[in-house]
Amino acid sequence: MNELLGPSVNARISSREKIPDLAIGHFFAFALAFISGFLLGTSYRSSVSLLKVARISILAYAAYGLFALVFTPTAILWATKSAYIGSFTTTFINHNTAGTFAGTGLILWASSALSSWQAIRTSSIRLLLLNPGYEKLLFDALLSTAGALVCFFALLSSGSRGALISSCAGLLTFVLLMVASRVKIGRGGLFFFALAGAAALFAWLLQIGRIASQGLIDEQRWSVYELCFQSIQRHPLFGSGAGTFEDIFPSLRPPTFFGSGVWDYAHSTILEIAVEMGVPIAAMVALAALATIILLSRAAIQQPKSAEPKLAAINGIAVLGFLHSLVDFSLQIPGYFIPFAILMGLGLARASSSSVSNARRDREAAFPNQSDHPLSDRSSSISK
């Protein structure tokens, strides 16, 4: 390089001298959103209000997107829509991100609907209509069910295969956690139900939409993944530098590559992290995602009945977001990853608070009398 350019250039792996400002901004936006959600999640009342705001805002976006799809198919608000005409995109440019956003709303509204219907403790429709106390509960249940249906129609209208599969997997996770928390079954039984549900879901998805006509993943994406693995093999430990995928991908494309346009994303967030920052960082991110799902699952099963649908829903959203990030880049779009990070922070805060409550409950059960607690003698002797 120095012989061709003349001036002396220091040798480095990265294609840029410093990390792009956009990559730094995305990292801090995700971190601040997560911290904000965690701090709000420490208060039960704040977490309930935040989930309500999330449901209503996503429903508003979905309703506008369906309205625009029918009445203004070539415009997004006041801007001209040049891509994905005929698909639900709401205010997003990409229909895949819009689909995951609608799927998030679907899980949140399904959780709210389940809680509302469970609150109606009557088997007689006549008694339900005659009792004024059930009027608001019935209205909330119908409204939540309608909200879930609107988000589901928006998800289908997006035409995104990855968003549909990931949303259904997240919804299945939500249902399984609710069953596990209500019905005392072992891990073997839960695994059986999960396997049967996944098989039935997969068989249904193969018969609808673009999945039936074009398959699960197009050939272009597989070619990009192969090129990414080649880049990882060259620099497995440190990668090419954060935020440099768009810079280095043209050098990876062979002359026979049939893809057109600019590939500014790898269409797999975890694979792009491995390309840019190396395999160790990608492994840490994958382990953090897996730990998040495990912690939320355990807390959802152990929570009291009034709180378990919320944690089960957030866990379903975690499955949705992490699964979709394997085949697309929704977690790299601020309009999606900011509310996603807030919900993850909120869920982990509620999960940690439930762990503290369970530990305190176990301690009180072990030492019902304060004088029987080992620390009581110590504290009394200190006070003397």
Side-chain angles (χ1 to χ4, degrees):
M1 180 66 70
N2 290 335
E3 295 176 357
L4 294 175
L5 298 179
S8 178
V9 178
N10 295 327
R12 63 172 182 264
I13 298 175
S14 176
S15 59
R16 295 198 183 195
E17 186 178 0
K18 62 179 183 178
I19 300 176
D21 294 337
L22 186 62
I24 298 176
H26 281 185
F27 171 77
F28 279 109
F30 189 94
L32 290 174
F34 178 85
I35 294 172
S36 300
F38 191 90
L39 294 177
L40 288 173
T42 56
S43 169
Y44 178 78
R45 182 177 300 178
S46 297
S47 63
V48 171
S49 300
L50 184 59
L51 288 175
K52 183 177 181 180
V53 170
R55 289 196 304 269
I56 295 175
S57 59
I58 295 176
L59 179 61
Y61 270 81
Y64 162 74
L66 292 174
F67 175 86
L69 182 62
V70 175
F71 296 100
T72 59
T74 59
I76 301 176
L77 295 177
W78 53 84
T80 302
K81 183 178 181 179
S82 57
Y84 302 107
I85 297 176
S87 298
F88 169 86
T89 59
T90 187
T91 56
F92 294 98
I93 298 176
N94 188 280
H95 69 146
N96 298 310
T97 308
T100 56
F101 199 66
T104 301
L106 169 62
I107 297 175
L108 287 176
W109 281 107
S111 169
S112 177
L114 179 62
S115 299
S116 298
W117 286 113
Q118 286 177 343
I120 301 176
R121 302 293 184 180
T122 180
S123 59
S124 172
I125 299 297
R126 182 177 180 182
L127 292 176
L128 176 63
L129 297 176
L130 291 176
N131 191 344
Y134 284 109
E135 183 177 351
K136 185 180 183 302
L137 291 176
L138 181 60
F139 177 78
D140 291 341
L142 294 176
L143 179 62
S144 299
T145 304
L149 290 176
V150 170
C151 291
F152 182 66
F153 290 144
L155 172 62
L156 293 179
S157 301
S158 69
S160 172
R161 294 167 293 181
L164 180 60
I165 295 173
S166 302
S167 299
C168 291
L171 194 61
L172 177 62
T173 302
F174 165 72
V175 173
L176 288 174
L177 288 176
M178 294 303 300
V179 172
S181 62
R182 300 300 175 90
V183 181
K184 300 302 180 181
I185 56 177
R187 295 181 179 179
L190 184 62
F191 178 77
F192 172 78
F193 282 115
L195 191 62
L201 179 63
F202 188 73
W204 174 68
L205 289 173
L206 288 178
Q207 306 300 320
I208 64 173
R210 292 178 59 203
I211 301 175
S213 59
Q214 301 179 18
L216 294 176
I217 300 180
D218 53 81
E219 191 174 350
Q220 272 189 342
R221 199 164 298 190
W222 280 119
S223 301
V224 173
Y225 294 165
E226 292 176 1
L227 297 176
C228 289
F229 281 116
Q230 294 176 13
S231 177
I232 294 172
Q233 290 176 356
R234 296 177 187 173
H235 309 291
L237 294 179
F238 302 105
S240 61
T244 61
F245 178 84
E246 187 177 0
D247 298 333
I248 68 167
F249 187 75
S251 65
L252 302 175
R253 294 174 64 158
T256 57
F257 185 74
F258 52 84
S260 59
V262 177
W263 286 77
D264 49 355
Y265 295 101
H267 288 263
S268 174
T269 299
I270 192 65
L271 196 59
E272 188 168 328
I273 292 175
V275 170
E276 294 184 348
M277 291 181 282
V279 175
I281 299 297
M284 291 173 60
V285 172
L287 289 175
L290 182 61
T292 299
I293 293 176
I294 293 175
L295 290 174
L296 290 175
S297 299
R298 183 179 301 175
I301 295 175
Q302 296 175 351
Q303 277 278 7
K305 293 183 178 181
S306 59
E308 62 190 4
K310 300 178 181 63
L311 271 180
I314 294 177
N315 196 14
I317 294 170
V319 171
L320 186 165
F322 294 140
L323 182 62
H324 190 257
S325 68
L326 297 178
V327 294
D328 223 308
F329 51 86
S330 58
L331 284 182
Q332 297 170 255
I333 305 300
Y336 179 76
F337 76 63
I338 289 178
F340 178 84
I342 292 174
L343 290 175
M344 293 302 102
L346 185 150
L348 289 176
R350 298 311 306 164
S352 61
S353 65
S354 67
S355 300
V356 172
S357 300
N358 291 335
R360 184 179 302 169
R361 192 182 305 113
D362 294 340
R363 185 172 67 248
E364 291 176 353
F367 304 100
N369 299 323
Q370 185 66 23
S371 59
D372 295 336
H373 199 285
L375 294 180
S376 60
D377 296 335
R378 182 181 178 184
S379 60
S380 60
S381 61
I382 294 176
S383 62
K384 293 180 180 178

